[in-house]
Amino acid sequence: MDVQRTIIEPHGGKLINRELAGIDRKEYMEKCKSLSSLTISKWIISDMEMISNGGFSPLIGFMGEKDYQIVLKYMYLANGLPWTLPVTLPLQRQKRRV
């Protein structure tokens, strides 16, 4: 029996890879030392991992307002691809400590 092997195309046609490697990663890690920090939940970390490794392809980051609203109402991304759950970065403004 001749079995033809095929690779399933990623949702949206392109697998998104947001992971940095090599010199790019090294340079960005150095830059990160001077940035502000956030405390985020394990759920958000999980979403970030899924965005970075292509698990949420075709998303290249957390959803913006337009995609968020369309997904809630129609279960599609603004570009017309089916998508059922919003992927957002929930942050709250905190009072500054004096």
Side-chain angles (χ1 to χ4, degrees):
M1 179 189 294
D2 187 22
V3 178
Q4 182 180 355
R5 292 183 176 216
T6 58
I7 296 175
I8 298 172
E9 190 173 301
H11 190 55
K14 181 179 178 187
L15 183 63
I16 303 299
N17 180 356
R18 305 286 288 177
E19 295 182 22
L20 293 176
I23 192 72
D24 291 334
R25 184 179 190 284
K26 186 176 180 180
E27 288 174 359
Y28 196 79
M29 293 303 287
E30 191 61 35
K31 180 182 176 185
C32 287
K33 293 177 182 178
S34 65
L35 299 175
S36 299
S37 64
L38 298 171
T39 301
I40 57 176
S41 70
K42 291 179 182 180
W43 187 279
I44 295 171
I45 292 170
S46 174
D47 282 352
M48 290 173 68
E49 289 174 349
M50 293 293 286
I51 290 167
S52 70
N53 68 24
F56 282 158
S57 288
L59 298 183
I60 60 170
F62 290 102
M63 289 180 177
E65 181 72 19
K66 185 176 182 181
D67 276 321
Y68 174 77
Q69 293 298 332
I70 293 172
V71 165
L72 285 181
K73 191 169 183 177
Y74 301 109
M75 295 197 311
Y76 282 88
L77 294 172
N79 66 10
L81 285 171
W83 199 274
T84 57
L85 296 172
V87 180
T88 60
L89 179 59
L91 297 176
Q92 295 178 358
R93 290 200 183 272
Q94 294 189 2
K95 294 179 183 176
R96 286 190 162 192
R97 296 181 190 161
V98 186

